[in-house]
Amino acid sequence: DESETDLVPEDMSIYRHLAQTYGKNYRTIIGKVLYLSRLTRPDLATTVSILSRYVSNPGLRALQALKGLWRYLLGTPRLGIMYKELPPNVQVEVRFYCDSNYPIGRARLGYVALIGHVDKHSGEFRGQALDWSSKVSATTSNSTAEAELMAAYAGIQRALATKKDLVFAHIIKEETPCRFFTDNKAVFHQFNSPLIDSKLKWIQNKY
C-alpha cells in the first residue's frame, strides 16, 4: 500500500480526509469486523483478511477499501446466517470444501464446513455453514498443485479438530465420516498414490 509521501497532490486531500475519519480507529474497526466475520458473516472473511495486513500503517487504498467495507455493512445490516433445526432421526454429518488461487507469491487458501444431512427423497446434501476461513499461505507456492495441496492440508487439519469437537458434544457419531472435497486433479493423484510423483517431488513432505 502507498505511504503518504508516495501520493500525488490530487490524492493527498482524499488520504488526509480518510485518515482523519478511519485512520485512528482502523485497528479497532478491523478487530470488530473480524469478530463479526468469524461468527455469522463469511462474506467478509476475505476482505477482512486483506485489510488486517495494514493495521500498523494503512495507506490510501486500505482506507478506501475500509470505507467501502463500512458502506457495505451499513447497507446489509440484516444479512447473516440463520440456522435451522435439523429434522429428527437423521444422520448428521460434516462436509468440508476447500480451494485456493495461484497468484505470483503466496496463495490464498480457503475452506468452508457445512453441517447437515442427506435428504432421503432427493439424495442431496442439505448443509448449513459451520466454519469457514480465508487466509494467505505462510509460504509461496510454485504451482496450482502446491497451492491446492496447501489448502487441502489446512482444511484437513481443521476438519479433524472439528470432528473431534462434534463427537465430544455428541452431535455426530465417531464412525460418521467427515467428507472432504477439492477440485484439483493433482491433489487427488497425490493423496491416492502411495508414491510421490516425480513432478511433485519439490512439494514439502507434509502436504
Side-chain angles (χ1 to χ4, degrees), residues 35 80 100 113 132 191:
Y35 178 76
S100 71
W132 53 85
F191 273 95

Side-chain angles (χ1 to χ4, degrees), residues 1-9 11-12:
D1 208 352
E2 309 98 331
S3 63
E4 186 174 356
T5 57
D6 297 329
L7 298 176
V8 296
D11 293 334
M12 186 65 70

Side-chain angles (χ1 to χ4, degrees), residues 41-207:
R41 293 293 296 268
D43 56 317
L44 306 177
T46 300
T47 303
V48 176
S49 173
I50 295 173
L51 292 180
S52 62
R53 299 165 60 184
Y54 305 104
V55 292
S56 60
N57 185 26
L60 176 61
R61 291 185 182 180
L63 292 172
Q64 288 176 326
L66 181 62
K67 179 181 177 181
L69 174 62
W70 197 250
R71 295 179 64 181
Y72 173 72
L73 288 173
L74 291 175
T76 56
R78 299 181 63 85
L79 186 62
I81 298 178
M82 181 178 293
Y83 293 97
K84 298 181 180 180
E85 186 177 359
L86 295 175
N89 302 323
V90 296
Q91 182 175 351
V92 181
E93 63 175 282
V94 179
R95 296 189 178 186
F96 271 76
Y97 299 83
C98 79
D99 203 356
S100 71
N101 68 344
Y102 176 55
I104 299 176
R106 296 187 296 171
R108 176 160 294 277
L109 316 178
Y111 70 81
V112 60
L114 303 180
I115 184 170
H117 69 286
V118 177
D119 187 79
K120 295 181 179 179
H121 301 287
S122 64
E124 297 180 351
F125 178 74
R126 302 186 181 278
Q128 305 174 81
L130 176 66
D131 188 20
W132 53 85
S133 175
S134 174
K135 62 181 181 179
V136 176
S137 62
T139 58
T140 59
S141 55
N142 297 318
S143 70
T144 55
E146 186 174 9
E148 294 283 355
L149 283 170
M150 287 179 178
Y153 179 78
I156 288 176
Q157 281 186 310
R158 186 59 184 168
L160 294 174
T162 300
K163 180 180 179 180
K164 183 178 180 180
D165 292 340
L166 293 176
V167 171
F168 179 79
H170 303 289
I171 297 176
I172 64 174
K173 299 179 180 179
E174 179 70 35
E175 61 271 15
T176 302
C178 183
R179 302 180 186 274
F180 197 90
F181 297 85
T182 184
D183 61 352
N184 188 273
K185 292 183 178 180
V187 175
F188 289 133
H189 174 75
Q190 185 62 30
F191 273 95
N192 293 327
S193 174
L195 302 176
I196 298 178
D197 190 281
S198 59
K199 298 180 181 179
L200 301 176
K201 284 185 177 180
W202 42 266
I203 296 179
Q204 297 182 40
N205 292 331
K206 69 177 181 180
Y207 301 131

Side-chain angles (χ1 to χ4, degrees), residues 5-25:
T5 57
D6 297 329
L7 298 176
V8 296
E10 291 78 6
D11 293 334
M12 186 65 70
S13 60
I14 300 176
Y15 172 79
R16 288 176 177 173
H17 172 71
L18 292 174
Q20 184 178 4
T21 307
Y22 300 100
K24 295 181 180 179
N25 300 317

